[in-house]
Amino acid sequence: MTDSVRIAGVEVTRLRAMAAREAKRYAAARPKTRAALDAGAGAYLGDVPMHWMRDWPMPFPMLVKRAEGARLTDVDGFRIDDFCLGDTGSMFGHSPAPVARAIRRQARRGLTYMLPTETALEAGALLNRRFGPYRWQIATTATDANRFALRVARAVTGRPKVLVFNGCYHGTVDDTMIELRDGHTHARQGLVGQVEDLSLVAEAVEFNDLSAVEAALAKGDIAAILTEPVMTNSCMVLPQAGFHDGLRTLSRRYGALLIIDETHTISSGLGGYSRVHSLSPDIFVAGKCVAGGMPTAVWGMTDEVAARFAEYDAHRPSGHSGMGTTLSANPMQFACLKANLAEVMTPGAYAHMEKGAERLSAGLRRVIEAHRAPWHVVRVGARVEFICAPGPLTNGAEAATAHQPELEAAIHTALLNRGSLIAPFHNMMLVSPVTRKRQIDRLIAAFDEILTELF
Ligand SMILES: Cc1ncc(COP(=O)(O)O)c(C=O)c1O
């Protein structure tokens, strides 16, 4: 709810006073960071090495000195409980010991050869054990994995379009950078240098709307539905009962593939949401944390899709496939993938994450109720989000309306000043296998202090 005096139940004057004070406090406490940025950031476009780093709400970025477990230390010496965890890249904690050991070992044996290793074969078997029997390929980013999965889907179906859900995010895959406006698919506003008509290659409908999915599929030009099991890149939207079954039934009925992007929902439990909830995608995609933070993504197709692709591949004209990148499937990735799958992504780790995330979501919920804030909390396994609007949300349009950038930015900075870092783009928090109970309790207490001031 936004009007001239309140945002999501918070008086705007009170919010702005808090935001200004917290920004000042952040800046005043970080003279070394400020000085270092002034001396060295100018080498980068926009003063940061990757422009998303400007999306944090603080007046200037935190310069990280080191990260261990679920904690960051910045150059001014602040020790921060990390619930962002590299926006999932470090969901299993920073530098998990088995992964760090694997890196040290592999560093002596070469970093990239464009040839497989015995470790690659072992990692393949582990992928099957963790996620299910797919025919795997390795990419460097989940963006790439989704792009390549879409190539395969278009190749085997001979159809041009991908169906995605309004408000989705699957990496910077051009085709998926669309949105619904006035009931029609358009390129998202704000895309840099986008000149193509994306509605020729993609269609958007709302999440949880099986009639809209069917209407789109019935046109016969959809190669694949690409979806997260839970929409995690807007304010979080859970699937309604029967939605995933419906997607599976409809995609089969209309001859489209179902690609499930588990890059974030790998937080759900061992094997990701698909395993935990018995989904059966045609192509499974995961990235970010799958190799413990080493840039790695995996995408696997069922035997049936693999057979269709082999048939296609055997008859296509010779030439570049348009899939793959030079540094992908390098031995360092496999060393880390194997270590992470075998020794880090364990049932015990997930049990700890689940328990901690339950503690966190229950604590945040208690605070919200105590302050009678018109907000709610959502959780998918180790991934927790507070949303500054009533819930549950059912689709991307509702999620966009629920998002309150000004309020969220103030809360994020205030949390950081109290020692907790959460993800910058929305209010997402991850609980890792090494996150301590006291870190969770500190975050809940900080949230309470902030809401006490806001309400
Ligand atoms: C569901 C999902 N898929 C894919 C990606 C892309 O990952 P990457 O930026 O590592 O390519 C993201 C990134 O946030 C994501 O959330």
Side-chain angles (χ1 to χ4, degrees):
M1 180 187 58
T2 307
D3 58 37
S4 56
V5 288
R6 283 183 190 274
I7 294 175
V10 177
E11 270 180 34
V12 169
T13 43
R14 197 179 280 219
L15 165 62
R16 293 198 175 141
M18 186 185 90
R21 199 195 56 235
E22 295 294 339
K24 215 161 141 189
R25 176 173 163 190
Y26 174 89
R30 287 176 172 77
K32 289 187 186 158
T33 305
R34 183 67 273 175
L37 288 169
D38 288 345
Y44 290 105
L45 177 70
D47 290 344
V48 284
M50 204 270 284
H51 68 98
W52 295 4
M53 293 175 183
R54 286 203 313 252
D55 291 346
W56 291 94
M58 304 84 90
F60 50 83
M62 203 166 103
L63 276 184
V64 177
K65 192 161 194 173
R66 57 183 298 134
E68 296 158 286
R71 179 166 288 148
L72 299 170
T73 305
D74 74 6
V75 299
D76 279 286
F78 288 99
R79 286 153 62 83
I80 304 293
D81 296 331
D82 189 1
F83 290 88
C84 170
L85 293 168
D87 195 10
T88 310
S90 297
M91 190 177 74
F92 297 108
H94 293 289
S95 302
V99 175
R101 272 196 301 275
I103 290 173
R104 280 198 292 274
R105 222 174 15 245
Q106 186 59 44
R108 294 192 290 266
R109 301 175 183 180
L111 303 181
T112 190
Y113 336 125
M114 222 167 72
L115 283 168
T117 56
E118 284 179 307
T119 307
L121 308 180
E122 290 162 8
L126 283 166
L127 283 170
N128 280 343
R129 205 175 308 151
R130 279 284 172 264
F131 299 116
Y134 298 98
R135 298 299 179 104
W136 297 99
Q137 287 282 277
I138 308 301
T140 301
T141 65
T143 299
D144 280 344
N146 281 319
R147 277 201 298 123
F148 305 150
L150 283 178
R151 287 259 176 179
V152 167
R154 286 175 167 133
V156 303
T157 60
R159 297 175 178 182
K161 283 189 175 175
V162 55
L163 183 68
V164 294
F165 294 104
N166 188 39
C168 72
Y169 183 69
H170 296 285
T172 49
V173 181
D174 282 331
D175 312 21
T176 64
M177 288 287 181
I178 55 169
E179 63 189 356
L180 264 183
R181 281 202 305 275
D182 309 323
H184 297 285
T185 297
H186 296 276
R188 253 173 233 190
Q189 288 175 353
L191 293 176
V192 172
Q194 177 55 260
V195 294
E196 285 162 20
D197 179 358
L198 297 180
S199 69
L200 297 175
V201 293
E203 186 158 345
V205 295
E206 290 291 5
F207 198 72
N208 280 322
D209 185 349
L210 287 173
S211 317
V213 170
E214 179 156 23
L217 290 172
K219 293 179 213 157
D221 57 358
I222 303 288
I225 302 171
L226 170 59
T227 186
E228 287 189 275
V230 171
M231 288 186 82
T232 67
N233 282 290
S234 51
C235 293
M236 200 141 71
V237 180
L238 297 176
Q240 291 173 340
F243 181 63
H244 280 296
D245 285 346
L247 288 184
R248 186 61 283 187
T249 305
L250 290 172
S251 53
R252 287 211 173 104
R253 183 180 303 156
Y254 291 97
L257 299 191
L258 181 59
I259 306 174
I260 302 271
D261 179 356
E262 292 262 16
T263 299
H264 275 180
T265 48
I266 208 169
S267 67
S268 306
L270 209 55
Y273 192 99
S274 293
R275 267 259 153 120
V276 173
H277 295 271
S278 304
L279 307 189
S280 45
D282 296 302
I283 304 183
F284 177 103
V285 175
K288 294 200 180 183
C289 59
V290 74
M294 177 60 59
T296 305
V298 300
W299 57 289
M301 54 191 105
T302 58
D303 281 347
E304 191 205 329
V305 176
R308 287 170 70 184
F309 182 64
E311 174 67 16
Y312 170 91
D313 203 29
H315 296 101
R316 75 182 167 94
S318 63
H320 206 297
S321 65
M323 302 194 294
T325 60
T326 311
L327 298 181
S328 291
N330 70 59
M332 188 58 96
Q333 288 177 312
F334 286 116
C336 295
L337 191 58
K338 180 184 157 192
N340 199 52
L341 292 173
E343 299 175 68
V344 181
M345 275 175 76
T346 59
Y350 273 107
H352 179 95
M353 292 155 78
E354 180 77 20
K355 201 165 154 201
E358 177 50 38
R359 183 180 186 88
L360 177 58
S361 57
L364 297 176
R365 221 170 260 134
R366 267 197 315 275
V367 171
I368 286 172
E369 279 163 19
H371 293 283
R372 295 207 185 86
W375 303 0
H376 73 289
V377 178
V378 199
R379 177 166 86 86
V380 54
R383 178 177 298 273
V384 178
E385 190 175 13
F386 64 85
I387 295 174
C388 303
L393 305 172
T394 61
N395 61 37
E398 288 180 15
T401 309
H403 187 34
Q404 298 294 351
E406 184 180 355
L407 173 60
E408 291 166 15
I411 297 172
H412 290 209
T413 308
L415 284 173
L416 184 52
N417 285 336
R418 288 158 182 76
S420 300
L421 184 76
I422 72 171
F425 313 115
H426 33 102
N427 309 320
M428 192 271 298
M429 294 148 283
L430 289 165
V431 175
S432 78
V434 287
T435 302
R436 305 273 173 83
K437 216 193 279 182
R438 62 172 178 275
Q439 294 180 292
I440 293 170
D441 292 346
R442 205 155 36 224
L443 172 53
I444 296 167
F447 189 65
D448 191 19
E449 197 181 314
I450 293 163
L451 265 69
T452 301
E453 173 160 359
L454 289 176
F455 288 93

